[in-house]
Amino acid sequence: MLRNALEPWHILVVVLVMVVLFGSKKLPDTARALGKSMRILKSEARAMKADGAGETAAPSGPAAPGSPADSRR
């Protein structure tokens, strides 16, 4: 059904619509901002993944009074 979902003329139509919407002078700035946003998103996702791997042994909530985890404080 969707074997040829993205053909070259689809990409051409998307580029033309972007040029009409943003104008040719704003496109480089828009692309630069999009690239910067993607880099930030990737780095934050990597940081969250690294934090998640390090926190698997730590308790996730407050310890109940009198529990062994409470005595660590």
Side-chain angles (χ1 to χ4, degrees):
M1 182 173 164
L2 294 174
R3 289 189 311 192
N4 294 326
L6 194 62
E7 293 182 9
W9 69 273
H10 289 122
I11 297 171
L12 181 65
V13 169
V14 169
V15 168
L16 287 174
V17 168
M18 288 183 66
V19 168
V20 168
L21 286 177
F22 295 110
S24 61
K25 291 184 181 181
K26 294 256 183 186
L27 271 179
D29 294 334
T30 305
R32 196 173 298 116
L34 181 64
K36 187 175 182 180
S37 298
M38 290 300 294
R39 277 193 301 268
I40 291 170
L41 179 67
K42 284 181 182 180
S43 68
E44 290 296 324
R46 252 185 252 124
M48 286 179 65
K49 205 179 270 189
D51 286 347
E55 292 180 2
T56 55
S60 61
S67 68
D70 188 40
S71 64
R72 289 188 288 171
R73 293 182 189 177

